[in-house]
Amino acid sequence: MRILIVEDQPDIATLIARNVSKSGFVADRVGTLTDASAAIRDNDYPLVLLDRRLPDGDGMSLIPEMKRTRPGVRIVIVSAARKIDERVSGLEAGADDYLTKPFAAKELIARIRACLRRPGGERLPPITIGALSVDPNSHEASIRGAPFIPPRRELILLEALARRAGRAVNYPVLIEEVYGSEDDSCLGALKMLVSRLRQRLNDKDASVEIHAPKGIGYLIKELRRD
């Protein structure tokens, strides 16, 4: 599961990302409203950790856009703005929770998990490709109704491909989604990951195939048996 961290102070962003990653999530980091808006348009984040005091404005101004374009997103404001009126205004603007700085890492993770457990929001339909089904809400997969439980990174990769089934997903996008990095050095690791996932799907006779358009990336589609 991917979480977006909107925080302009590198030391705080690194601390949050480290704790989020240790707890089994993939952390994406941006430091401005502009970059946050672009990230939200391009990725279906279940939860966003949002600072208020950003270089290009108040993080709260981003909440209406997030709620409009990603109705199911959970928003936790993490801010040094700690007055009662500031906390109340954040919650009334649509945030699901408000955590003031400084904070304990355990409390941050507990609040993230609590927000993700709450019902509500728009539920997306399962993605079906061949005999494979991927649920973007629970981030679970099944083959002919039986749970398909690959290792975590393989599952992230599978969902990234499934959300764009039939379309090629380029290397940088997959590297960023799977590894939370834009480092090209991850390309070799990505190729090995695809190979393992492809073999696992073949072993389960999922009736899907992962293609590798030369020099572009990967795409997943239903396996046609003529």
Side-chain angles (χ1 to χ4, degrees):
M1 188 177 294
R2 306 183 69 78
I3 288 177
L4 178 64
I5 300 166
V6 186
E7 170 61 64
D8 66 313
Q9 297 185 48
D11 55 340
I12 296 177
T14 298
L15 176 64
I16 294 175
R18 185 181 301 126
N19 283 283
V20 164
S21 298
K22 284 181 180 178
S23 300
F25 302 102
V26 175
D28 293 348
R29 295 163 45 181
V30 295
T32 66
L33 289 174
T34 300
D35 289 343
S37 182
I40 291 161
R41 284 196 304 270
D42 294 340
N43 300 278
D44 186 18
Y45 294 105
L47 186 138
V48 175
L49 298 175
L50 180 65
D51 189 16
R52 287 193 59 175
R53 295 168 180 168
L54 298 168
D56 51 349
D58 188 335
M60 274 180 29
S61 66
L62 193 63
I63 293 178
E65 177 186 346
M66 286 194 281
K67 292 294 186 179
R68 184 178 65 255
T69 59
R70 303 293 185 187
V73 69
R74 300 290 190 267
I75 301 167
V76 179
I77 294 177
V78 183
S79 175
R82 55 192 304 122
K83 294 180 180 178
I84 292 293
D85 288 347
E86 291 172 319
R87 302 205 305 266
V88 169
S89 65
L91 294 169
E92 289 185 340
D96 297 276
D97 202 350
Y98 197 116
L99 181 63
T100 58
K101 301 174 184 176
F103 54 85
K106 287 183 179 180
E107 182 180 6
L108 172 66
I109 300 304
R111 287 175 182 258
I112 289 173
R113 295 193 186 283
C115 279
L116 292 173
R117 286 196 299 268
R118 292 174 190 167
E122 181 185 50
R123 291 190 64 81
L124 301 173
I127 303 163
T128 301
I129 313 162
L132 172 71
S133 178
V134 178
D135 188 334
N137 305 291
S138 63
H139 305 282
E140 296 174 341
S142 61
I143 296 174
R144 296 183 181 84
F148 176 61
I149 311 175
R152 183 174 67 90
R153 287 198 191 277
E154 289 182 34
L155 182 58
I156 294 171
L157 170 64
L158 177 61
E159 186 173 332
L161 292 171
R163 290 200 313 268
R164 307 168 177 89
R167 293 183 288 141
V169 188
N170 64 37
Y171 297 128
V173 169
L174 290 173
I175 289 171
E176 199 275 335
E177 289 214 22
V178 174
Y179 298 102
S181 167
E182 297 180 358
D183 191 343
D184 289 342
S185 66
C186 294
L187 181 56
L190 176 67
K191 290 182 177 180
M192 292 179 63
L193 197 70
V194 169
S195 179
R196 291 196 295 269
L197 176 61
R198 183 186 281 136
Q199 185 60 55
R200 210 179 299 274
L201 291 168
N202 287 341
D203 290 345
K204 295 292 185 179
D205 192 22
S207 298
V208 300
E209 52 188 350
I210 299 176
H211 284 273
K214 189 173 181 180
I216 299 175
Y218 296 97
L219 69 86
I220 191 170
K221 66 177 185 178
E222 183 176 357
L223 175 64
R224 298 293 185 181
R225 293 186 173 93
D226 298 326

